[in-house]
Amino acid sequence: MNRNLERKLVIVGSLWQILSGLLTIFVYASFIKNEGLHASSNTLGKLEAAQSIFGSLYMFSVSFGMLFVILGIINLVLAKTLKDDQPEVRKPIWFILLGILSYFVMDILGAFLFLSGGILAIAKNKSISKLVNYQLQN
């Protein structure tokens, strides 16, 4: 039994993670940095505080984007190593946990793709194990 559908779902989810991570780094974080540079205030203390806040937001955005890119690359590798005709246990659970995490960070597309891929992989585990047992009996 092949795992093409869940492999494709996870690959699309991984590519989406990489794309959204790169957009977060290069578009959103750059926008935050630009806003921080254009911050104006009537006192030097308030100006430094505003620039510090924008700098912290910039670093958080870049870190968050890098996390998405790294997770996307890891998931691409995991999707490529999904084995046909063998029950997989850890990878589908990882995909489900990643889908739940994506839901909590409001990445609805990633949550849908990873949850679907993980649930399909776990569902196919049952049929693969029954098929293997049937083949061993005959």
Side-chain angles (χ1 to χ4, degrees), residues 89-100:
V89 177
R90 292 183 180 162
K91 291 175 192 171
I93 291 174
W94 167 255
F95 296 143
I96 289 174
L97 290 175
L98 195 60
I100 293 170

Side-chain angles (χ1 to χ4, degrees), residues 1-134:
M1 181 170 286
N2 65 11
R3 294 186 179 272
N4 285 336
L5 180 59
E6 52 264 40
R7 192 175 291 124
K8 287 178 184 176
L9 286 170
V10 172
I11 287 173
V12 170
S14 301
L15 293 175
W16 168 249
Q17 275 186 327
I18 292 170
L19 177 70
S20 65
L22 291 174
L23 285 174
T24 300
I25 292 169
F26 292 114
V27 176
Y28 184 67
S30 297
F31 172 75
I32 288 174
K33 188 69 166 180
N34 192 25
E35 288 296 314
L37 292 175
H38 295 336
S40 62
S41 183
N42 53 2
T43 65
L44 182 64
K46 287 183 182 179
L47 180 63
E48 287 178 357
Q51 287 179 345
S52 175
I53 288 172
F54 280 108
S56 297
L57 286 173
Y58 172 77
M59 289 305 297
F60 177 77
S61 299
V62 169
S63 300
F64 194 73
M66 285 301 295
L67 176 69
F68 264 52
V69 170
I70 291 168
L71 283 175
I73 293 170
I74 290 171
N75 290 325
L76 275 176
V77 171
L78 289 177
K80 295 287 185 179
T81 60
L82 269 174
K83 297 178 185 128
D84 294 337
D85 300 326
Q86 289 183 4
E88 295 274 356
V89 177
R90 292 183 180 162
K91 291 175 192 171
I93 291 174
W94 167 255
F95 296 143
I96 289 174
L97 290 175
L98 195 60
I100 293 170
L101 178 68
S102 295
Y103 176 76
F104 284 121
V105 296
M106 296 304 294
D107 181 16
I108 303 302
L109 182 61
F112 173 74
L113 291 168
F114 287 116
L115 284 172
S116 300
I119 290 170
L120 280 172
I122 287 177
K124 283 188 181 178
N125 280 348
K126 184 75 170 179
S127 11
I128 289 172
S129 62
K130 283 188 176 187
L131 185 64
V132 168
N133 287 338
Y134 177 75

